[in-house]
Amino acid sequence: MKSITILIADDEAVIADLIELHLEKEGYRCIKVYDGQEAISAVQTHSIDLAILDIMMPKLDGYEVTRQIREQHHFPIIFLSAKATDLDKIAGLIRGADDYVTKPFNPMELVARVNAQLRRSTQFNQSTQANKLALEAGGLLIHLEERTVFLYGKPIELTPKEFDILYLLASYPKKVFSAENIFQQVWGDAYYEGTNTVMVHIRTLRKKLGEDIHKNKLIKTVWGVGYTFNG
């Protein structure tokens, strides 16, 4: 069985060691680095299954590391940060992270979140392989294996979470999903900031799909209920 490799990137060695200690107890293999540039190098030279990234790191911060990772990889990313406001969490999730844990943190909670993200990632990959290779509707073409999206033949660059939301809605045309339901299915978690997070992702997704330009609204709001795909 393939061992699961987790990247830990934090410039505080004590924190990195603490995370490594608890993850190794779970049977995970850990790679520790202490700045953003080392994190990028680790991703390029190792097969990473999940990354835990501090946001405020030397050389490259966690946001930039995530941006570069997302150019080629879709493994789960968990941000670890002392920034604890709702806006900070939403900003982190929009930047491409799958989860956000604030310092100080409970190591066992972090381990539980790692397990949840890995479980969800495995389930999503399995369901993707079992489904059709592409969805097409309303000028939109979604390639599931490549995780690419085209609108009227033009490629649309989406973050992993934006892709997952669009794929979920497009897979069930006309079905209405509440914001809470979208958050639970896409993030595999539930917490009180989830509704705002979904709203922000839907807004940026609509902008990328050019809904302010095209007459057809692919993502329709059902007021007081949620969202539906209108392709």
Side-chain angles (χ1 to χ4, degrees), residues 25-73:
K25 287 181 179 179
E26 292 287 307
Y28 298 129
R29 172 175 176 258
C30 296
I31 297 174
K32 292 185 298 182
V33 297
Y34 304 102
D35 65 58
Q37 191 58 61
E38 287 183 342
I40 294 298
S41 298
V43 171
Q44 293 172 341
T45 55
H46 297 83
S47 178
I48 304 297
D49 296 289
L50 181 145
I52 299 172
L53 306 179
D54 184 22
I55 292 179
M56 304 302 293
M57 290 188 291
K59 298 184 181 179
L60 297 175
D61 64 22
Y63 293 144
E64 176 59 21
V65 172
T66 298
R67 187 191 69 78
Q68 293 191 32
I69 288 175
R70 288 300 183 226
E71 289 179 352
Q72 296 183 331
H73 304 281

Side-chain angles (χ1 to χ4, degrees), residues 148-159:
T148 56
V149 176
F150 294 85
L151 183 62
Y152 300 113
K154 178 183 177 182
I156 306 296
E157 296 295 329
L158 301 180
T159 67

Side-chain angles (χ1 to χ4, degrees), residues 115-140:
N115 291 336
Q117 288 299 328
L118 289 170
R119 182 168 59 250
R120 185 198 160 276
S121 178
T122 300
Q123 291 171 347
F124 182 85
N125 289 336
Q126 290 174 346
S127 66
T128 294
Q129 293 171 4
N131 279 302
K132 296 185 298 181
L133 296 181
L135 292 174
E136 187 172 5
L140 193 68

Side-chain angles (χ1 to χ4, degrees), residues 6 8 17-30 107-108 111 115:
I6 297 177
I8 304 168
D17 290 344
L18 177 65
I19 296 171
E20 179 186 42
L21 175 65
H22 283 82
L23 289 177
E24 286 187 339
K25 287 181 179 179
E26 292 287 307
Y28 298 129
R29 172 175 176 258
C30 296
M108 296 309 298
V111 170
N115 291 336

Side-chain angles (χ1 to χ4, degrees), residues 7 145 162 168 202:
L7 172 65
E145 284 192 339
E162 289 167 354
L168 173 66
I202 292 286

Side-chain angles (χ1 to χ4, degrees), residues 167-180:
Y167 168 61
L168 173 66
L169 296 178
S171 296
Y172 301 93
K174 308 302 181 182
K175 178 177 178 179
V176 180
F177 290 85
S178 69
E180 291 81 1

